[in-house]
Amino acid sequence: MKDIYQVIKNVRLSEKASLLQEQNNEVVLEVDRFANKLEIKAAVETVFDKKVVKVRTANYDGKIRRKRRADQGRTPQYKKAIVRLADGETIDLI
């Protein structure tokens, strides 16, 4: 990745993500599919100015969806990163 501002795509807000934030001080982000853990860590530390302890990633395939009568399509693939922040660090997402 050349630009760290293109690594973070979106914030994933769900019940599980809010539980992870409350219990483990973790933030769930949707990131670029080709970004590695070091690039994700550098992007979070630069953009949010917070100390990152650990990064976990998961790749998700797009689901098959039907469009029109018999045509078949897929939703986009994405990569999810669960970023654990240092103690005392928080990111206000809402």
Side-chain angles (χ1 to χ4, degrees):
M1 299 292 328
K2 298 196 188 261
D3 187 17
I4 59 168
Y5 292 102
Q6 294 178 352
V7 173
I8 300 172
K9 299 286 184 189
N10 202 358
V11 177
R12 304 288 291 193
L13 295 176
S14 63
E15 288 184 36
K16 184 176 181 178
S18 62
L19 283 175
L20 286 173
Q21 188 172 9
E22 291 172 6
Q23 294 174 353
N24 300 335
N25 200 20
E26 294 178 338
V27 179
V28 181
L29 304 169
E30 186 175 336
V31 296
D32 187 77
R33 288 184 42 226
F34 302 106
N36 60 27
K37 293 181 181 185
L38 295 175
E39 293 168 344
I40 295 168
K41 180 179 179 179
V44 171
E45 288 180 345
T46 303
V47 173
F48 296 111
D49 197 28
K50 305 293 180 179
K51 177 72 175 145
V52 174
V53 176
K54 186 176 184 179
V55 176
R56 294 180 291 159
T57 60
N59 288 309
Y60 289 91
D61 290 332
K63 296 180 181 178
I64 296 175
R65 298 287 186 217
R66 287 190 57 185
K67 300 191 180 190
R68 298 192 187 109
R69 291 182 305 183
D71 295 338
Q72 186 163 269
R74 285 180 108 50
T75 58
Q77 299 174 344
Y78 65 95
K79 186 175 198 175
K80 184 167 77 171
I82 301 170
V83 178
R84 179 172 289 191
L85 301 174
D87 292 335
E89 301 278 350
T90 57
I91 295 177
D92 236 355
L93 300 175
I94 299 175

